[in-house]
């Protein structure tokens, strides 16, 4: 079950077909909802929680149009990797995404210290970058703001899929 604010986030993210969630932890609800809507999602964290792994297995076994994979990976290392390094690692692990593999990188409750690396990863992948914060923190990177039902989504980059949606306030 996804809360109403998270459901609004799912609606926003469902505009993209291939998504990378940063910091899934043990909260796979958004990723699962996106997979149920036919999107392909890879959810990463330095320590993927058991619930996220179980949800990924359940999604794989279920009849859903999309997919969900939970992979242990560090956004700091992924952001710093070059595409050549990522391609070399891709043969041995799913944890090194390469340019063109994702349309969007997103995160729920992204802490300030992971915002820059998350945006850097999205830039390396030429993907859109959207996130929510912990609520009490302001973004530490330049963003546009989208007010959705019960939450604010920060858009750090629009990606190669085109410009950001109308109504994005680029102010900080």
């Amino acid at each position: 079950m996804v809360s109403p604010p998270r459901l609004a986030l799912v609606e926003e993210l469902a505009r993209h077909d291939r998504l990378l969630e940063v910091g899934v932890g043990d909260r796979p609800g958004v990723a699962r909802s996106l997979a149920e809507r036919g999107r392909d999602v890879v959810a990463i964290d330095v320590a993927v929680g058991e619930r996220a792994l179980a949800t990924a297995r359940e999604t794989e076994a279920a009849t859903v149009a999309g997919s969900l994979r939970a992979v242990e990976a560090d956004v700091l290392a992924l952001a710093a990797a070059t595409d050549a390094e990522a391609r070399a690692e891709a043969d041995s692990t799913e944890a090194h995404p390469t340019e063109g593999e994702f349309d969007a990188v997103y995160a729920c409750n992204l802490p300030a210290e992971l915002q820059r690396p998350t945006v850097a990863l999205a830039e390396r992948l030429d993907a859109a970058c959207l996130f929510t914060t912990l609520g009490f923190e302001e973004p530490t990177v330049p963003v546009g703001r989208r007010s959705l039902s019960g939450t604010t989504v920060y858009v750090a980059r629009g990606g190669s899929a085109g410009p950001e949606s109308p109504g994005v306030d680029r102010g900080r």
Side-chain angles (χ1 to χ4, degrees):
M1 183 70 176
V2 178
S3 68
R6 294 277 191 231
L7 188 55
L9 180 60
V10 169
E11 293 293 331
E12 184 71 20
L13 293 169
R15 300 174 188 205
H16 304 281
D17 293 324
R18 300 165 302 149
L19 299 107
L20 176 68
E21 180 173 342
V22 171
V24 68
D26 231 4
R27 300 171 319 277
V30 171
R32 170 72 188 242
S33 294
L34 288 164
E36 289 171 349
R37 291 171 186 242
R39 305 309 183 260
D40 295 318
V41 183
V42 174
I44 66 167
D45 204 319
V46 291
V48 174
E50 189 54 42
R51 192 165 78 194
L53 292 169
T55 300
R57 286 190 297 271
E58 290 167 10
T59 303
E60 188 177 317
T63 308
V64 297
S67 66
L68 170 58
R69 291 179 293 152
V71 179
E72 289 196 355
D74 182 355
V75 69
L76 299 172
L78 293 177
T82 66
D83 277 333
E85 291 169 335
R87 277 191 289 280
E89 288 284 330
D91 293 334
S92 61
T93 180
E94 299 176 58
H96 288 276
T98 58
E99 184 177 344
E101 189 175 354
F102 296 97
D103 304 318
V105 173
Y106 74 94
C108 301
N109 297 332
L110 189 63
E113 65 271 13
L114 295 182
Q115 291 173 16
R116 287 195 191 288
T118 300
V119 173
L121 176 59
E123 287 173 352
R124 185 173 70 75
L125 299 176
D126 194 23
C129 184
L130 302 92
F131 61 90
T132 63
T133 64
L134 293 170
F136 58 87
E137 292 182 331
E138 282 294 311
T140 60
V141 295
V143 295
R145 298 167 196 267
R146 279 195 196 123
S147 292
L148 304 178
S149 178
T151 192
T152 299
V153 174
Y154 299 99
V155 181
R157 71 183 313 272
S160 62
E164 294 143 15
S165 299
V168 173
D169 170 20
R170 291 297 297 177
R172 279 180 53 109

